[in-house]
Amino acid sequence: MVRNNPISPDVAMDSSPAIIARIDQPVIVRRPEERTSPILAASPHSGRIYPPDLLAQSSLPLALLRRSEDAYVDTLIAAAPDFGIATVTAPFPRVFIDPNRSTRELDTVLFPDLPGPSAGATPHVQAGLGVIPRMSAGGRPLYDGPLNVAEARQRIADYYRPYHGAIDVDLKASHDVFGIAILLDFHSMPAIAAGGVDIVLGDRHGSACDPAIMAHVEAVFRDQGFLVRRNRPYAGGYTTACYGKPGQNRHAIQIEINRGLYLNEEQVTRSGTFPATREKVEAVLRALAEESWT
């Protein structure tokens, strides 16, 4: 069953499409009328419903907060259920909580009252990009001071866990029905980081996906005219590592789309090339949905 998405894929290209509102639905799941593909398409970073509490806590205006979004990636993949592919998207913004991080990646600078030694002193955390980010895109501090650790625990319980719970449920359903589950984790990358390519496919250097599946996904993107590269500079994050278990016939690929293909990055608005890019992404999804993965 397809649930209504509070962010319509046909929102006009205006200068301020983000919503400031309480988030009533922590995860958006859209399922096809008939499950015909083992693929699940996810978008963890395109959420643009900003809780009023976040705006009150943050030292940055909404326009700068939005630059951390993988803006409109959810819209690029919105037609997936029409092809038999389910989607899971996060309505909350990445600066609020990042579901592509481990819950252990808590920042002791932002949460100095964390009990005991931190187990999350990863490069992401050290850069201020833990599960609750301390820094925004461009290296701007999100808050004027520290937060209480209870705030982190509440965000994880209310938003992070429902998001990952939805992914887990749908991947298990795919595996039960088809004997295989494939997660395509959609993101976007700044044009300056893309290095001249359109798409970067990350499979943790082969550990998260069967090589034949990775090769086929790459070929389908290339068939649509995209310039594709693997694992540089994005090899896949927490989600790819968590759900990519090829030995169990569970596969995960992180897909980074060059924002220059569809977005005005400075204003975080859809550019004139957005419809053409969406059409090509939809063609990729359609072709993958028609594949007999068994």
Side-chain angles (χ1 to χ4, degrees):
M1 180 179 295
V2 176
R3 301 181 190 174
N4 290 330
N5 185 337
I7 306 292
S8 168
D10 296 316
V11 171
M13 296 184 197
D14 57 48
S15 59
S16 182
I19 297 171
I20 300 174
R22 188 168 68 90
I23 301 173
D24 295 321
Q25 188 177 356
V27 60
I28 300 164
V29 181
R30 301 180 69 241
R31 298 190 177 100
E33 292 290 333
E34 181 182 2
R35 184 185 292 272
T36 59
S37 173
I39 295 173
L40 173 65
S43 175
H45 291 159
S46 55
R48 49 191 176 276
I49 302 178
Y50 286 77
D53 288 350
L54 173 64
L55 273 295
Q57 290 172 320
S58 179
S59 56
L60 297 180
L62 180 60
L64 291 181
L65 292 175
R66 293 206 64 217
R67 294 190 185 180
S68 294
E69 292 177 20
D70 285 347
Y72 302 112
V73 168
D74 58 330
T75 310
L76 290 174
I77 66 171
D82 297 339
F83 313 134
I85 294 174
T87 63
V88 172
T89 60
F92 50 85
R94 176 192 211 164
V95 290
F96 186 59
I97 184 166
D98 187 346
N100 200 31
R101 297 284 182 263
S102 165
T103 55
R104 295 170 64 85
E105 292 185 279
L106 282 169
D107 192 330
T108 55
V109 175
L110 187 59
F111 300 103
D113 57 339
L114 273 169
S118 173
T122 66
H124 288 135
V125 172
Q126 291 170 356
L129 302 174
V131 63
I132 310 291
R134 173 169 48 89
M135 308 295 285
S136 72
R140 301 177 182 89
L142 285 166
Y143 306 99
D144 289 327
L147 301 179
N148 192 290
V149 71
E151 175 84 17
R153 290 173 176 153
Q154 194 69 52
R155 294 185 195 182
I156 289 169
D158 291 348
Y159 303 99
Y160 182 103
R161 297 207 184 281
Y163 177 84
H164 278 282
I167 288 181
D168 191 52
V169 164
D170 263 86
L171 289 178
K172 285 180 178 177
S174 290
H175 196 272
D176 288 345
V177 172
F178 300 99
I180 184 175
I182 302 170
L183 173 63
L184 301 180
D185 198 38
F186 281 87
H187 297 254
S188 68
M189 55 186 169
I192 195 171
V197 301
D198 301 322
I199 304 291
V200 173
L201 301 178
D203 63 355
R204 307 287 292 185
H205 300 283
S207 67
C209 184
D210 182 274
I213 292 174
M214 180 66 156
H216 185 69
V217 171
E218 180 179 8
V220 171
F221 273 101
R222 291 189 188 277
D223 287 346
Q224 290 302 315
F226 289 111
L227 298 175
V228 185
R229 186 170 59 212
R230 297 191 192 185
N231 291 309
R232 290 187 298 112
Y234 305 103
Y238 170 77
T239 301
T240 312
C242 179
Y243 297 105
K245 311 291 182 186
Q248 301 173 20
N249 231 2
R250 304 169 190 268
H251 311 272
I253 301 174
Q254 180 171 294
I255 300 172
E256 297 277 355
I257 304 172
N258 186 332
R259 292 174 189 166
L261 296 176
Y262 72 94
L263 192 70
N264 181 320
E265 295 188 64
E266 186 72 18
Q267 299 179 11
V268 198
T269 56
R270 285 174 281 187
S271 67
T273 56
F274 180 90
T277 300
R278 177 169 60 179
E279 184 176 333
K280 291 169 70 174
V281 171
E282 289 175 356
V284 168
L285 290 169
R286 186 184 296 108
L288 293 175
E290 291 172 353
E291 180 69 22
S292 177
W293 295 101
T294 54

